[in-house]
Amino acid sequence: MTSPVRTARRTSPPDHRITRRHALAVLGRGAAASAALLLSPGAAGRARAAAKTTITIGLQSDINTLDPHQTASVGTDLSVISHLYSSLIERGPDLKLRPLAATSWTLAGDTTWRFTLRSGITFSNGEKLDAAAVKWNIDRVLNPATQARVAPWFDLVSEARVVSATALEVTTKQPYPAFADQLVEFYLLAPGWTASHRPAQEAMGSGPYTLKEWVKDDHITLEARPDYWGGRMPYPTVVFRPIPEDSSRTSGLLAGDLDVIVSVPPSDFPRIDSSGRARAGSVQSARSAFLKFNTLRKPFDARGVRQALNYAVDKTTLIRTLVPGLTEPSNGQVLTPAYFGYNPDLRPYPYDVAQAKRLLAEAGAGSGLQAELDVPAGTYLLGEEMSEAIDGQLSQVGVQLNITEMPFSVYMNKYLPQHNMAQAVYITQAWPTLDADGLLTLFEKGNQYAYWNNDAFSSLLDQARATTVPAKRLALYKQATAVMRDEAPVLFLFPQPATYATANTVDWHARPDDWVRVWDMKPKT
């Protein structure tokens, strides 16, 4: 059953700064509930005894679906799905593309991609993963009746053609230089099996693991395939456990019930590192955090209001208080340096209360402006705490946010299928291609994610898409990111650090691109 939506109007500190005492009080919220989510001492002992064969991973939320064509959530849905299904191409921990079901891929001319597939790959039921199966998957996504969440990735695809059992050609309507990169998120279903099963709730793939059990909001258990074509996995059994409370994930790790956890509050780092049982860390992420404005609704249809809020928030203080030393303010763009198309010439919006007030007055907003802010509970690193702190800072310019926390599934349903986004949402976004064409397309006119219609920005993306010359693409993305900074469809915050912790028995470092994959891990003796 879906948990209720909770609306909160919080009291913020009187000063624009977040006090350390306030931040720690917020961070400690919910700690009392952690014991209910942990295993009994006897179970903990059994879990430790089984550490060499079973790895248990604590995620911040449960998955929404097992259908790989109905999700773009890397850190949860697709991370689990990647253990069950194969993609043509994957991105390694070094962020470089490498073969998976495809052994090679080439761009012939500007609009034809040629793929060579491995021979002999089968799904668990014996169906072949051949060129015909890949074509079927592409056709499924292109079929409007499927209503595939990943359909926008294939808007430029005109046709997939089987050349032979191990050869496939994909033709695009215009140049699509990032197509191969995009395929790292495209996992392949078995055509015959899918016709008589529910891929959102069941799984039968060609990946290294099979689905043993999915108990919603409790655990997902996977078992390694002994006949997997890609080799032996480091752990025979994998358990993913959704644990929304940050403190509960940390307690579970220190109790020995969890081996790996993600999205760890930096305030928990000292406790973990001093435990003698585990260690915490962080890496620079390709994911940006921001408040996304619904520019189709007042008051955020006015550029001056959007710019004002960018000036009104002191990002440096947010970072220093909640994620000290782990990131820095975004320089007026959602891209990070990891992306092709990143604009190094942009500068952050400075903290300037006077400028914020002036812009609000010019826009006719004045003092007393109120706006809804939706926040998915337990989803983004300190998302709730960041939202509260931003609300406190905005109160200095007469802006009040009415914050509603809700389950991620409810949040996403409003955001996409219902297309009924609040006036603003707290969100973090990344794109697996690490190419501006992917992430910036989420803001393109007509895109279901956008809630912003800007002709100049969208035209620049179209022009960048129409050429395969890197220098031309970079120049166009430079213009596009400059337009986006000025128009401010979001309140730019910071690149979200990827924080994590592991038991001393596991060797793993979080990836900048959010994937949580067991074959990147190994037992530590």
Side-chain angles (χ1 to χ4, degrees):
M1 183 170 63
T2 302
S3 59
V5 173
R6 179 162 61 91
T7 301
R9 174 77 205 124
R10 297 177 177 77
T11 303
S12 303
D15 193 275
H16 77 271
R17 295 165 296 178
I18 315 162
T19 64
R20 172 68 63 176
R21 180 179 179 184
H22 173 72
L24 291 178
V26 170
L27 288 170
R29 191 178 55 201
S34 63
L37 293 171
L38 301 181
L39 299 178
S40 66
R46 290 192 296 273
R48 283 190 289 271
K52 290 185 179 180
T53 58
T54 300
I55 187 166
T56 304
I57 301 169
L59 301 178
Q60 64 268 47
S61 65
D62 200 1
I63 63 173
N64 297 296
T65 180
L66 285 168
D67 187 336
H69 302 161
Q70 298 294 356
T71 180
S73 299
V74 172
T76 51
D77 298 358
L78 287 173
S79 283
V80 173
I81 287 168
S82 70
H83 292 73
L84 302 168
Y85 293 97
S86 302
S87 58
L88 292 173
I89 303 166
E90 74 171 0
R91 195 179 296 279
D94 60 0
L95 302 186
K96 295 180 180 179
L97 298 184
R98 62 189 187 187
L100 198 60
T103 58
S104 65
W105 53 95
T106 56
L107 181 58
D110 287 341
T111 60
T112 300
W113 287 86
R114 293 175 179 164
F115 298 89
T116 301
L117 278 60
R118 297 182 193 274
S119 61
I121 299 180
T122 61
F123 294 91
S124 297
N125 67 346
E127 280 190 68
K128 293 181 179 180
L129 199 173
D130 55 12
V134 177
K135 172 180 165 53
W136 178 89
N137 276 266
I138 293 174
D139 290 345
R140 180 180 190 251
V141 169
L142 291 176
N143 184 353
T146 305
Q147 297 183 321
R149 184 69 60 84
V150 303
W153 307 348
F154 293 85
D155 280 346
L156 295 180
V157 172
S158 57
E159 182 187 17
R161 186 173 69 89
V162 174
V163 177
S164 71
T166 57
L168 180 80
E169 284 190 352
V170 177
T171 305
T172 58
K173 301 168 188 174
Q174 65 183 59
Y176 190 174
F179 182 55
D181 298 83
Q182 185 62 73
L183 293 177
V184 302
E185 275 195 2
F186 184 54
Y187 287 88
L188 304 165
L189 293 165
W193 176 87
T194 303
S196 58
H197 290 80
R198 300 171 298 170
Q201 300 166 349
E202 306 170 70
M204 200 285 303
S206 61
Y209 287 87
T210 59
L211 177 66
K212 180 180 180 182
E213 185 177 49
W214 177 17
V215 178
K216 186 67 176 171
D217 296 321
D218 189 82
H219 68 274
I220 303 164
T221 302
L222 312 179
E223 291 188 340
R225 286 179 61 186
D227 59 343
Y228 176 55
W229 56 270
R232 184 179 178 183
M233 290 293 105
Y235 295 93
T237 304
V238 179
V239 179
F240 290 97
R241 294 189 60 205
I243 303 176
E245 284 286 350
D246 296 337
S247 59
S248 297
R249 288 196 303 279
T250 297
S251 295
L253 176 71
L254 298 183
D257 300 323
L258 303 172
D259 301 299
V260 173
I261 59 174
V262 296
S263 196
V264 180
S267 59
D268 281 358
F269 281 20
R271 177 182 166 206
I272 293 170
D273 289 339
S274 64
S275 69
R277 297 181 176 182
R279 61 201 180 282
S282 72
V283 298
Q284 291 299 309
S285 168
R287 178 172 293 275
S288 284
F290 45 88
L291 256 60
K292 184 181 181 72
F293 299 130
N294 185 343
T295 70
L296 308 181
R297 295 178 58 184
K298 293 183 180 299
F300 299 124
D301 57 335
R303 182 182 67 167
V305 173
R306 303 192 301 261
Q307 290 179 333
L309 268 60
N310 271 282
Y311 284 111
V313 172
D314 183 357
K315 295 92 171 175
T316 300
T317 295
L318 286 178
I319 291 167
R320 185 173 62 242
T321 307
L322 292 174
V323 285
L326 300 185
T327 188
E328 58 187 20
S330 298
N331 62 340
Q333 63 185 315
V334 294
L335 302 177
T336 73
Y339 287 82
F340 177 88
Y342 173 79
N343 187 345
D345 297 334
L346 296 181
R347 294 292 176 264
Y349 274 85
Y351 176 57
D352 190 333
V353 170
Q355 176 73 338
K357 289 181 176 179
R358 183 182 69 79
L359 287 169
L360 287 170
E362 290 177 354
S367 182
L369 185 151
Q370 296 190 33
E372 308 160 359
L373 175 66
D374 283 356
V375 183
T379 302
Y380 303 127
L381 177 67
L382 299 178
E384 297 94 319
E385 292 79 6
M386 287 289 179
S387 299
E388 293 169 3
I390 290 168
D391 179 35
Q393 293 190 351
L394 292 180
S395 68
Q396 303 305 303
V397 298
V399 175
Q400 175 182 307
L401 297 178
N402 296 311
I403 302 172
T404 301
E405 295 177 8
M406 60 187 64
F408 184 61
S409 59
V410 176
Y411 169 93
M412 288 303 296
N413 194 48
K414 285 185 65 177
Y415 183 40
L416 291 179
Q418 295 180 11
H419 208 256
N420 186 34
M421 191 181 108
Q423 289 162 298
V425 297
Y426 187 95
I427 193 169
T428 76
Q429 287 182 327
W431 203 255
T433 62
L434 299 183
D435 188 291
D437 181 61
L439 189 55
L440 295 186
T441 296
L442 298 181
F443 298 90
E444 187 175 16
K445 183 177 179 179
N447 189 288
Q448 62 179 336
Y449 288 84
Y451 291 88
W452 180 47
N453 297 327
N454 186 277
D455 290 331
F457 175 80
S458 300
S459 175
L460 288 164
L461 294 192
D462 281 341
Q463 294 174 59
R465 220 174 267 132
T467 178
T468 57
V469 179
K472 290 182 179 179
R473 296 182 70 219
L474 283 172
L476 290 162
Y477 289 138
K478 197 168 189 178
Q479 295 178 59
T481 51
V483 169
M484 189 172 179
R485 183 196 183 279
D486 184 57
E487 290 290 330
V490 307
L491 196 168
F492 301 100
L493 292 174
F494 46 81
Q496 177 176 280
T499 60
Y500 68 101
T502 63
N504 290 339
T505 54
V506 178
D507 185 9
W508 182 68
H509 298 279
R511 297 170 50 130
D513 57 357
D514 294 341
W515 290 104
V516 181
R517 290 169 164 162
V518 167
W519 52 92
D520 292 336
M521 306 173 186
K522 60 182 180 180
K524 192 174 182 180
T525 57

